Amino acid sequence: MPVDPDRETARRWLVEELARPEYAQDQSWLMRLLEWFLGLFDGVGAVDADPLVLAAVIVAVAGVVVGVAWWVAGPARLRRRSAARSVVVHEDDTRTAAEMRRAADDAAARKDWDTAVLERFRAVVRVLEERAVLDERAGRTAQEAARDAGDRVPDLADPLGAAARLFDAVCYGHRPAGRADDDRLRTLDERASTARRAPTTAGAS
């Protein structure tokens, strides 16, 4: 049976579609697009046209609008997924630094350098938590961990920053890791395992 939506039905369909969470970051832009689309049909009741032809036009244009909206929202979904992956230690990860280090060693033995680098950086962050350089907090990004630890152990600030950038690059899939990357993180892990938090100066917050 042919679908013959009127203007209000078309509005309802599109509003329901654009209310989906994946469009949230682009809502204002998409709503302007919706209003533009619906404006095309102002006064449509005065046009002498075949209802089936009119319905087909409405459905076709609605499909284009939804397609454009999906294309716009796609990068936002990718950014959100990437952000979730770039979290260093998730809430349900209760492993010790030694356990993370063993996971990195196992991955390195398989020449899975991406996993080795990710796990070894996690071991660096966890050992800094175990040594009370960092407070224990799940959900940190690599950049947050490097910044916070670098403030408290200035000697490690530069290598931590470089390691965090490497973690994100590997985690986001910008580039693959290699043996040399894992070697640098091994050295950082050794330094982090003996790191001491710098004393705070009097009156510092």
Side-chain angles (χ1 to χ4, degrees), residues 142-184:
Q143 296 297 327
E144 289 171 340
R147 183 191 64 237
D148 293 347
D151 287 344
R152 296 163 187 177
V153 188
D155 289 347
L156 292 183
D158 288 344
L160 280 168
R165 289 189 294 273
L166 172 63
F167 181 94
D168 282 343
V170 173
C171 196
Y172 278 72
H174 294 166
R175 75 172 184 85
R179 182 190 297 274
D181 298 313
D182 186 52
D183 288 343
R184 282 192 292 272

Side-chain angles (χ1 to χ4, degrees), residues 6 19 30-31 56 59 74 90 96-97 129 133 135-136 146 171 173 178 189 202:
D6 56 18
L30 294 174
M31 291 308 293
V59 170
H90 294 273
T96 65
E129 291 176 345
V133 172
D135 58 302
E136 292 187 16
C171 196
D189 186 23

Side-chain angles (χ1 to χ4, degrees), residues 7-19 26-42 58 61-62 64-66 68-69:
R7 186 172 189 272
E8 289 307 313
T9 300
R11 175 188 289 273
R12 178 170 55 80
W13 286 354
L14 286 174
V15 167
E16 288 174 355
E17 173 64 25
L18 299 183
D26 303 283
Q27 194 69 264
S28 61
W29 188 92
L30 294 174
M31 291 308 293
R32 288 198 299 273
L33 181 61
L34 169 61
E35 290 302 325
W36 168 83
F37 165 63
L38 294 175
L40 297 176
F41 298 94
D42 285 341
I58 291 175
V61 176
V64 170
V65 171
V66 170
V68 171

Side-chain angles (χ1 to χ4, degrees), residues 75-148:
R77 292 195 305 275
L78 180 60
R79 288 193 300 270
R80 287 193 292 272
R81 288 197 298 269
S82 295
R85 289 198 305 270
S86 72
V87 168
V88 178
V89 180
H90 294 273
E91 288 186 12
D92 58 353
D93 192 343
T94 59
R95 293 176 298 167
T96 65
E99 289 170 330
M100 292 174 175
R101 200 173 290 123
R102 281 197 296 273
D105 289 341
D106 290 343
R110 302 190 304 270
K111 300 188 186 305
D112 180 359
W113 303 116
D114 287 3
T115 300
V117 162
L118 297 179
E119 290 289 6
R120 210 170 300 283
F121 186 78
R122 292 186 179 108
V124 168
V125 173
R126 181 52 53 85
V127 80
L128 289 171
E129 291 176 345
E130 291 173 353
R131 296 184 61 78
V133 172
L134 289 173
D135 58 302
E136 292 187 16
R137 177 162 60 85
R140 275 194 184 93
T141 66
Q143 296 297 327
E144 289 171 340
R147 183 191 64 237
D148 293 347

Side-chain angles (χ1 to χ4, degrees), residues 2-5 41 44 47-61:
V3 178
D4 185 11
F41 298 94
V44 75
V47 176
D48 185 14
D50 186 332
L52 293 181
V53 172
L54 195 58
V57 170
I58 291 175
V59 170
V61 176

